[in-house]
């Protein structure tokens, strides 16, 4: 599908936030891809730590905001909590699927 003549974004940034517990590159690390819309320019970064990725993204998005570049950012990371988290926060017995877990 071709892009519209006047795309709403100047650049697109995608982040795969699959980081390991220790600094690493390659598999199980953080990848950031960036492209300028309407250009052949592409950039890929493989960052070894969450801190390095956060710093890079803050700098990149700060520069975009300063220049007024409209940026679409896509993030791929887990929104779930680890197994057993609910029991640590609230040890009360769980009810079945679809039933309220609130008071009463």
């Amino acid at each position: 599908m071709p892009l519209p003549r006047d795309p709403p974004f100047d650049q697109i940034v995608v982040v795969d936030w699959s980081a390991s517990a220790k600094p690493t590159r390659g598999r199980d690390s953080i990848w950031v891809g960036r492209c300028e819309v309407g250009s052949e320019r592409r950039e890929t970064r493989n960052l070894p730590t969450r801190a390095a990725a956060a710093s890079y993204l803050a700098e990149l998005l700060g520069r975009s905001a300063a220049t007024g570049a409209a940026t679409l950012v896509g993030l791929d990371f887990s929104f779930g909590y680890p197994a057993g988290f609910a029991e640590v926060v609230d040890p009360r017995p769980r009810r079945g699927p679809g039933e309220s877990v609130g008071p009463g």
Side-chain angles (χ1 to χ4, degrees):
M1 169 188 275
L3 289 173
R5 288 182 180 214
D6 294 317
F9 301 104
D10 299 309
Q11 67 180 342
I12 299 171
V13 176
V14 294
V15 182
D16 178 5
W17 202 273
S18 302
S20 172
K22 60 183 179 179
T24 188
R25 291 187 189 265
R27 185 181 172 110
D28 294 329
S29 63
I30 301 169
W31 290 86
V32 179
R34 177 186 167 273
C35 72
E36 294 177 10
V37 175
S39 168
E40 294 296 317
R41 182 180 166 143
R42 308 280 190 268
E43 177 183 337
T44 303
R45 299 256 179 134
N46 182 213
L47 300 150
T49 65
R50 292 177 182 102
S55 178
Y56 172 71
L57 290 169
E59 184 267 327
L60 174 66
L61 298 176
R63 195 171 59 236
S64 299
T67 62
T71 304
L72 173 65
V73 180
L75 300 168
D76 175 19
F77 57 89
S78 175
F79 287 103
Y81 293 106
F85 178 80
E87 287 75 20
V88 170
V89 173
D90 181 1
R92 292 181 295 173
R94 301 281 162 232
R95 296 184 180 156
E99 295 181 48
S100 171
V101 294

